[in-house]
């Protein structure tokens, strides 16, 4: 318990071994309350109870929420898979395969390519605005958002949406959103001027390659979530040679 001028503040501090990265005994990973980005809310204790059958869980509230559906405001990466893209104006925290913690403001970068040149991918499981192209996976929910004048191409089957690798899939259908998101696939949705490009270069039966890019130092991230504002920067230990 701390006693600042405005009154006492209670803090709960959890001490545990450092996250051991991919496949280790201890991990730090975000969990979506309803199982999807656009899913229902849940209490922290309800999420812990849901996971208690497969692991011993200590949970804390993670990111803030946004929008009428109260989706996560920032990035969500779990087991190396993008569940939601970065929000460049918000700080993100991440743990890589070695268990190292990273904190910083990271902007999303990605591309898609059909029969033409590589074109920008604006995000993953985020609201589409104007002339944008967005990737929606089952982590978003049952179907894509509606986009006036938009085009949606269903990719099936689609690989795990991991970063810094070419994700190639076949166009199963071309339709007007909203469309159902295949449980083993994904849907690429474009609006505005991007819609015509997607329709022309990703026709049914064609192959489309998507690449989501993480910067150097973050390229081996296994888990990430959003937050902000950043409270501590360039933390240094004085007179400490090592931490064991």
């Amino acid at each position: 318990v701390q006693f600042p001028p405005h009154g006492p503040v209670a803090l709960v501090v959890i001490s545990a071994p450092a996250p051991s990265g991919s496949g280790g005994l201890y991990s730090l990973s975000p969990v979506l309350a309803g199982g999807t980005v656009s899913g229902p809310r849940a209490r922290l204790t309800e999420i812990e109870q849901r996971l208690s059958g497969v692991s011993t869980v200590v949970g804390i509230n993670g990111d803030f929420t946004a929008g009428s559906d109260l989706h996560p405001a920032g990035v969500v990466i779990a087991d190396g898979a993008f569940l939601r893209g970065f929000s460049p104006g918000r700080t993100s925290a991440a743990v890589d395969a070695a268990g190292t913690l990273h904190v910083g403001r990271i902007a999303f970068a990605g591309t898609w390519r059909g029969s033409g040149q590589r074109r920008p991918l604006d995000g993953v499981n985020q609201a589409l605005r104007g002339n944008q192209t967005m990737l929606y996976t089952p982590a978003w929910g049952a179907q894509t958002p509606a986009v006036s004048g938009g085009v949606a191409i269903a990719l099936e089957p689609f690989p795990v949406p991991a970063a810094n690798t070419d994700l190639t899939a076949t166009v199963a259908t071309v339709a007007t959103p909203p469309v159902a998101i295949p449980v083993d696939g994904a849907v690429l949705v474009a609006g505005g001027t991007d819609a015509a490009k997607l329709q022309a270069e990703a026709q049914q039966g064609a192959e489309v390659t998507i690449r989501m890019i993480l910067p150097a130092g973050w390229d081996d991230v296994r888990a990430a979530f959003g937050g902000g504002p950043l409270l501590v920067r360039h933390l240094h230990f004085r007179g400490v040679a090592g931490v064991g």
Side-chain angles (χ1 to χ4, degrees), residues 186-200:
V187 180
L188 203 57
V189 179
T193 56
D194 281 17
K197 299 171 186 176
L198 182 62
Q199 189 166 31

Side-chain angles (χ1 to χ4, degrees), residues 24-83:
L25 183 61
Y26 299 94
S27 65
L28 178 65
S29 183
V31 177
L32 295 170
T36 59
V37 170
S38 59
R41 293 182 294 172
R43 294 184 180 276
L44 182 60
T45 51
E46 293 173 339
I47 300 173
E48 292 173 316
Q49 290 169 359
R50 173 158 57 89
L51 298 173
S52 63
V54 295
S55 62
T56 300
V57 182
V58 177
I60 61 170
N61 282 314
D63 200 0
F64 294 99
T65 57
S68 58
D69 60 354
L70 299 178
H71 61 262
V75 66
V76 182
I77 298 177
D79 296 327
F82 266 94
L83 306 186

Side-chain angles (χ1 to χ4, degrees), residues 16-18 235-244:
L235 178 65
H236 297 281
F237 292 95
R238 185 182 300 276
V240 178
V243 178

Side-chain angles (χ1 to χ4, degrees), residues 45-184:
T45 51
E46 293 173 339
I47 300 173
E48 292 173 316
Q49 290 169 359
R50 173 158 57 89
L51 298 173
S52 63
V54 295
S55 62
T56 300
V57 182
V58 177
I60 61 170
N61 282 314
D63 200 0
F64 294 99
T65 57
S68 58
D69 60 354
L70 299 178
H71 61 262
V75 66
V76 182
I77 298 177
D79 296 327
F82 266 94
L83 306 186
R84 190 179 188 276
F86 287 95
S87 295
R90 298 178 56 76
T91 302
S92 301
V95 176
D96 63 23
T100 303
L101 177 66
H102 303 266
V103 179
R105 286 191 174 182
I106 305 297
F108 180 86
T111 63
W112 70 271
R113 184 174 184 176
S115 60
Q117 65 189 40
R118 285 190 179 270
R119 299 193 180 276
L121 178 69
D122 295 288
V124 181
N125 293 329
Q126 295 163 266
L128 190 152
R129 296 180 176 86
N131 306 317
Q132 290 187 331
T133 303
M134 198 73 59
L135 180 69
Y136 294 96
T137 71
W140 169 265
Q143 67 176 21
T144 69
V147 178
S148 178
V151 171
I153 64 163
L155 303 170
E156 191 177 9
F158 190 76
V160 173
N164 298 333
T165 185
D166 285 341
L167 308 170
T168 301
T170 302
V171 178
T173 59
V174 180
T176 300
V179 299
I181 301 175
V183 295
D184 62 342

